[in-house]
Amino acid sequence: MESFLRVDSHAGTSSPSGSFNTDNADASSICPLINPSPPTNALVDPLPEPPQTGAFQMGDELAEKLQKVHEIQDAESISSASSSEQPVTSQLLDGSSFLNMPNDAEAEPEGGKLTPLELTFRNPTEDYFFMCWNWPLIRKFSLYLYVSVIIGMVGLVTGLISTLPKTCHPPTQWYQGKLFYEIFPASFHSSNQEMEGDLKGISLKADYIMKLGVRGVRLNSIFRSPHYPEDFENATTLTEIDGVLGTLEDLKGLVKHLTSRNMSLVLDLPVFPFIQKSFQKTLPITGIALKNASEEPSDFFSYSYESDPIEEAMQYWLLHGVEGFYLKGLEKYGDNFDTARLLKRWKKLLGPHRILIVQEEVVSLTPKENLQVVLENVDLVDVKLNLERGVSEVIAQIDSVQNSSLFAKPGAPWVHWSIGNVNSNRLANVLAFGNATLGATLLQMMLPGTPSIFYGDEIGLHQIPDPEEERQDIKHLHQLTMMPWQDELGKGKKSLVQPWIYGGEPTAHFDQVHAVIRMVELRTKSPSIYMNAVYKQGVNKANAEVKYTQENFLVIQRWYPRRKSYVVASNLGNSKISADLSLLLYSGQIIVGPRVESMSESISFKEVNLWPGESVVIVLD
């Protein structure tokens, strides 16, 4: 150690390699290899060495001080290792464990001598404010807080995941693609065993309607007339319920029962006689009112907006929970220019979530310049499918609708498909086969739009018989047969009183209801069926295609992007039909039909056999 730290210097002498030779400076800078570098232990000083009068020796003093420093550090390390009472944090913060090393200024020599190293100590541990904290409690609290945050985050993520929809189907309005159910109130159910049905009776059967999968319940005219229900279409007011059906409180109760089951109430408004009173015939040029112009075309009508009975009736029923109106008779003024303005006025009153329904003739008769106004203010357009006319007529009707303005743009009204209604013959009488009503209903529900079932068609209800034509005075009411009901044992329940329109015990197939329910459930969860069109690259196209036709055999395919496709095969003829569809379709699984007792099974389409009136719904592989 001493030899290493000692520097010996002799006065008046210098090592040849320890001085800087200015004569060789240039040569060294240019070619260092010619002048080799001095030894590593030589002291190179570019300045002339001052004359030294004596030896300068500091090695022993410096070695002694450094030795003391090492001894102090060794003692402290032994003391800290043997002590287990003082915390590690205290040891780290203890001032006695560290040295304050002097900075460069303090290390400068004074008078040619080095100053000695000074050992200083920091503040003791008890002087720091955080040393008195309750660290065990702080550690516990931090642990609990951390665990709580983790649990909360896990719960939040789980809650968000649980609220996500299980399926990602395209959304629609409540009236789009859902099932509607049309009821003639006087023939549905009586709450007190009277001859006529009433509003309370419909409330009592709300569970049955909900079980069918119905979203909208539509009531035929409920308004006061001279001889209700025989002349139900001759309403004298649009704001009073006929006493046969009940009171306003009964209607409020019905709305409450339906709303609690996620169903909405829609009323038929017989607007024709009231619009007729508000229209005034005028000359097209002079504008002079005509006193007797019964033969003039309807273009000469102008509507008086001062007193609008239709608007007043809508305001009244909207206050009592009604969600929409079917404008009966408006088609008689479809070609009038004021009709479009009336629809716009009424739709503004209803708002976006309550609906207006019109017949197909309203759209077809509207002048071209007013067509867009009508389409923007109507929600559903009723189209009656004429199944009794055969497959060719059905195909022509479907093609006509799909190529019309109803499918030209995404925001157009949806089609309201009906195969029976209050003004037509019973479906079971039009189709002369046992389960033809089931097959027709399955075909109807596979069409793009909103299907509507007339009460009793789901069970194949017949109209009252009149073989001797003795009841021709009420021929227009024969389809309004009283709805039969089952008892607790599943058998037909006989009425204690004779209904207002009687034709013997009605014929009904209650087992068909289960197949209808399965079809409604399939439709509700399948966008390929409940959606009416696909909008792609600026083109709106109905997602239904007639895949195959042969005589009275019809196959329609429904599809939607990234969803399973479905087909419905229907026999609308009078005899059994077999068809080979293997060139068009590969394989699938039967979902509903062709008979009530039919079970789900695979099908290869090599040979499809259907009896008259049968339909089968198949999901494609």
Side-chain angles (χ1 to χ4, degrees):
M1 173 72 82
E2 179 181 356
S3 60
F4 175 77
L5 295 175
R6 183 183 304 275
V7 178
D8 295 329
S9 180
H10 301 280
T13 63
S14 62
S15 174
S17 62
S19 62
F20 185 78
N21 190 350
T22 58
D23 296 336
N24 298 332
D26 296 335
S28 300
S29 62
I30 296 173
C31 187
L33 296 178
I34 298 176
N35 298 299
S37 300
T40 56
N41 61 348
L43 177 62
V44 179
D45 191 355
L47 299 177
E49 297 182 3
Q52 301 182 9
T53 58
F56 181 71
Q57 298 180 0
M58 294 296 296
D60 293 338
E61 296 179 6
L62 180 59
E64 184 179 355
K65 291 182 179 294
L66 290 177
Q67 183 65 28
K68 291 181 179 181
V69 171
H70 287 300
E71 291 176 356
I72 293 173
Q73 291 179 346
D74 293 341
E76 290 179 352
S77 61
I78 295 173
S79 175
S80 60
S82 62
S83 176
S84 59
E85 297 179 357
Q86 188 177 12
V88 176
T89 55
S90 300
Q91 296 177 19
L92 293 176
L93 296 174
D94 193 349
S96 61
S97 301
F98 295 91
L99 298 175
N100 273 341
M101 302 298 295
N103 53 28
D104 295 340
E106 295 173 347
E108 289 293 333
E110 297 179 1
K113 296 183 179 181
L114 293 175
T115 58
L117 296 176
E118 296 181 0
L119 300 179
T120 59
F121 302 93
R122 296 182 180 177
N123 296 330
T125 57
E126 58 271 10
D127 291 347
Y128 293 98
F129 67 94
F130 51 83
M131 295 303 300
C132 60
W133 291 357
N134 191 343
W135 285 104
L137 180 62
I138 293 175
R139 285 194 293 270
K140 290 182 180 180
F141 176 78
S142 301
L143 176 62
Y144 295 153
L145 180 62
Y146 175 77
V147 173
S148 301
V149 171
I150 295 298
I151 294 175
M153 293 177 65
V154 172
L156 178 62
V157 172
T158 304
L160 292 176
I161 294 176
S162 64
T163 57
L164 292 176
K166 297 181 180 179
T167 57
C168 187
H169 294 330
T172 57
Q173 296 291 338
W174 67 268
Y175 55 87
Q176 294 175 337
K178 311 302 191 301
L179 179 63
F180 273 51
Y181 193 69
E182 181 181 352
I183 298 176
F184 186 73
S187 297
F188 194 66
H189 182 63
S190 175
S191 61
N192 52 7
Q193 297 295 322
E194 296 292 338
M195 296 176 59
E196 300 91 357
D198 50 24
L199 298 176
K200 284 185 177 180
I202 300 175
S203 298
L204 293 176
K205 295 299 180 179
D207 288 335
Y208 168 81
I209 301 173
M210 180 185 66
K211 186 179 178 181
L212 287 176
V214 173
R215 184 60 181 85
V217 176
R218 173 184 152 209
L219 301 184
N220 300 132
S221 179
I222 61 173
F223 309 109
R224 181 162 52 83
S225 65
H227 302 286
Y228 193 91
E230 288 84 356
D231 63 345
F232 68 94
E233 293 183 310
N234 298 325
T236 58
T237 176
L238 294 179
T239 55
E240 296 182 20
I241 301 173
D242 195 275
V244 172
L245 299 178
T247 64
L248 179 60
E249 294 301 321
D250 296 333
L251 185 125
K252 291 181 180 179
L254 175 59
V255 170
K256 183 177 180 181
H257 278 81
L258 296 179
T259 304
S260 64
R261 293 164 174 81
N262 194 31
M263 293 185 286
S264 300
L265 181 63
V266 178
L267 295 182
D268 281 4
L269 282 185
V271 299
F272 171 66
F274 299 92
I275 290 181
Q276 191 176 29
K277 296 177 182 178
S278 298
F279 269 106
Q280 183 182 19
K281 288 188 176 182
T282 59
L283 288 174
I285 298 178
T286 62
I288 302 175
L290 299 176
K291 295 182 180 180
N292 186 8
S294 59
E295 302 300 325
E296 294 294 333
S298 59
D299 284 347
F300 297 165
F301 282 104
S302 64
Y303 195 79
S304 175
Y305 294 96
E306 295 180 359
S307 178
D308 186 355
I310 312 301
E311 183 175 341
E312 294 175 359
M314 288 181 178
Q315 288 178 333
Y316 180 79
W317 295 115
L318 290 175
L319 292 175
H320 298 299
V322 176
E323 296 292 333
F325 303 95
Y326 188 118
L327 304 178
K328 303 285 289 187
L330 185 64
E331 63 277 3
K332 297 181 180 180
Y333 292 97
D335 57 349
N336 191 277
F337 280 88
D338 277 337
T339 301
R341 284 183 287 179
L342 284 173
L343 288 171
K344 184 176 182 179
R345 183 186 180 100
W346 296 336
K347 180 58 181 177
K348 183 178 179 180
L349 174 65
L350 267 65
H353 302 297
R354 290 178 284 201
I355 65 173
L356 288 178
I357 309 175
V358 299
Q359 288 189 11
E360 182 184 12
E361 289 78 5
V362 174
V363 178
S364 61
L365 294 175
T366 298
K368 186 176 181 180
E369 53 269 32
N370 287 348
L371 181 59
Q372 188 60 34
V373 178
V374 172
L375 295 178
E376 290 176 353
N377 294 281
V378 170
D379 302 289
L380 294 175
V381 176
D382 185 27
V383 177
K384 185 180 182 301
L385 197 62
N386 299 316
L387 297 178
E388 67 277 8
R389 299 182 183 180
V391 168
S392 58
E393 178 65 23
V394 171
I395 294 176
Q397 198 172 3
I398 294 175
D399 289 341
S400 175
V401 171
Q402 291 186 350
N403 294 321
S404 68
S405 56
L406 298 179
F407 287 89
K409 296 181 180 180
W414 282 44
V415 180
H416 177 272
W417 295 103
S418 59
I419 52 180
N421 55 43
V422 69
N423 300 116
S424 65
N425 292 329
R426 277 283 170 186
L427 189 61
N429 295 87
V430 173
L431 306 174
F433 299 99
N435 65 338
T437 54
L438 176 59
T441 301
L442 296 181
L443 175 60
Q444 174 200 14
M445 290 194 184
M446 285 293 290
L447 297 177
T450 298
S452 177
I453 295 179
F454 188 51
Y455 83 97
D457 284 348
E458 73 274 14
I459 59 175
L461 184 63
H462 287 69
Q463 60 192 39
I464 63 171
D466 188 20
E468 303 298 331
E469 297 185 353
E470 298 177 351
R471 311 180 70 177
Q472 293 299 302
D473 56 328
I474 58 170
K475 184 179 180 179
H476 63 289
L477 302 175
H478 285 182
Q479 69 275 12
L480 304 179
T481 312
M482 199 71 180
M483 179 75 171
W485 298 100
Q486 290 180 298
D487 56 17
E488 292 77 5
L489 300 177
K491 298 181 180 180
K493 186 177 181 180
K494 295 184 178 181
S495 176
L496 300 179
V497 296
Q498 184 171 306
W500 71 275
I501 184 168
Y502 183 73
E505 291 298 325
T507 302
H509 303 279
F510 294 105
D511 54 349
Q512 291 186 180
V513 174
H514 303 290
V516 174
I517 293 174
R518 293 202 307 272
M519 183 63 221
V520 175
E521 291 175 349
L522 175 65
R523 180 183 180 89
T524 302
K525 65 183 181 181
S526 304
S528 299
I529 305 178
Y530 75 73
M531 291 297 293
N532 72 329
V534 174
Y535 184 76
K536 186 177 182 180
Q537 296 179 351
V539 178
N540 195 62
K541 182 180 179 182
N543 59 333
E545 178 186 2
V546 177
K547 201 72 175 178
Y548 179 84
T549 59
Q550 178 186 358
E551 296 181 359
N552 290 314
F553 190 76
L554 174 64
V555 178
I556 297 177
Q557 181 175 352
R558 300 297 311 279
W559 54 274
Y560 197 81
R562 297 181 296 277
R563 298 295 194 279
K564 292 183 178 180
S565 297
Y566 298 83
V567 296
V568 56
S570 301
N571 180 3
L572 303 181
N574 299 322
S575 58
K576 180 181 177 182
I577 296 179
S578 298
D580 183 4
L581 305 178
S582 58
L583 296 179
L584 301 173
L585 305 169
Y586 180 66
S587 64
Q589 192 81 13
I590 296 177
I591 303 298
V592 186
R595 290 169 289 277
V596 176
E597 66 275 8
S598 298
M599 303 296 292
S600 178
E601 59 179 331
S602 299
I603 185 171
S604 65
F605 292 105
K606 182 64 177 177
E607 184 178 5
V608 180
N609 301 309
L610 292 177
W611 291 94
E614 289 185 341
S615 293
V616 59
V617 178
I618 305 168
V619 56
L620 300 180
D621 293 335

